[in-house]
Amino acid sequence: MIATAAALTPTRVWWSAVRPATLAASVAPVLAGTAIAVHDGEPRLGAGLLALLVGVAMQLGVNFANDYSDHVRGADTARVGPVRAASSGVVSPDRVKWAAVAAFAVAAVAGLVLSLVTDPRLLVVGVACLLAGWLYTGGPRPYGYIGLGEVFVFLFFGLVATVGTVYVETLRVTPLAVLAGCAMGCLATAILVLNNLRDMETDRAAGKRTLATRIGRGPTLILLVALVCVAFAVPIVASVTGLAAVTVILVYLDIPIAAEPLRIAFATTAPPALVRALKRMAVAELGYALLLSLGLLL
C-alpha cells in the first residue's frame, strides 16, 4: 500500500477512492462526441452536458463499487496500488457501498431525463450500463474477475459513451462517431490493462482472474501496445471517410504522450511506476480527445 495508515485521513481516502485519473475515461468520449456533433451540424449541448453527468457518475459508481467489492472478496489484502477506501480502516465499507449506490442513482436519474428528452429507447442502453457497472465486480459472478473487464470498458466507456453522446446531441450515428468511439475505447481499455498489469500478482493470489493474470505479462504488454496502435490508426481510417488531414496531424501530436506509459510498462514491474504509467495513459486519452476536438472545430 502506497500510503501508511498513519498518513491517511478521510479526505485523502475518499479522494483515492474517486481515482481521479480514471475520470478521463468518462470525460474524453463525451468531449470527442460533442466535437463530432458540433462538426456535423447544430448540436443540443444541453443533452451533451447530461451525457457528461451520466458518464462521470457511472465512472464514480464503478470505482466505488469496485473498491467495496474487492474489499469484501479479499482482493485488497496485499494491496500494492493506491489506497482503497473500504480496506483502509479509515472509512466504513458500508459507506463506500452507499457512495456507489448514490453515484449510480445520479447516473440513472440523469440518464432517465436524457432518454425522455431524446429517445426513450435509450432507457434500454441505460439499464444495460447500470447493470454492467455494478456486476463488473459485484454480484454472484463478477465478470471483472473472469477476464472480461476490458470488454466492458471498451464497449461502455468507448463505443457507448462516444456514439451515445453524438446521438443524443444530433439524433444520428455517423461512421466518424463509431471510429472515435473505438479510439476512446482502446485508450480507456489501455488504462485498465495498466491497472491490471500492476496488480497481477496480488490479483492472482486473491483469486481475481483478470485478463492479465490469465494470459501473463508478455501477452498483456502486447495487448497494451495493440490498443494504443489501433487508437492512433483510427484517424487514418477516418481520413478515408472525410476527416481533414489537419485533424489527423493534430491527433498524432498525442503519440509521444501515449508512448511514455508504454515505455514504463516494458521497463519495470514496480507498482509505483505502473501507477504513474496509468495516470499518463489517462492524460493521453484526454489529450487525444482534446486534439481531435480542436481539429474538428478548426
Side-chain angles (χ1 to χ4, degrees), residues 84-120:
R84 290 294 190 91
S87 60
S88 67
V90 176
V91 174
S92 164
D94 279 345
R95 292 184 65 188
V96 180
K97 178 181 70 174
W98 285 110
V101 171
F104 283 134
V106 170
V109 171
L112 175 62
V113 173
L114 188 57
S115 299
L116 293 178
V117 300
T118 53
D119 185 342

Side-chain angles (χ1 to χ4, degrees), residues 239 242-251:
S239 68
L243 187 67
V246 65
T247 305
V248 177
I249 293 170
L250 281 171
V251 171

Side-chain angles (χ1 to χ4, degrees), residues 34-59:
T34 297
I36 293 169
V38 172
H39 178 265
D40 288 347
E42 295 291 332
R44 303 189 301 170
L45 296 180
L49 289 174
L50 276 174
L52 178 61
L53 177 59
V54 171
V56 172
M58 276 295 302
Q59 182 70 68

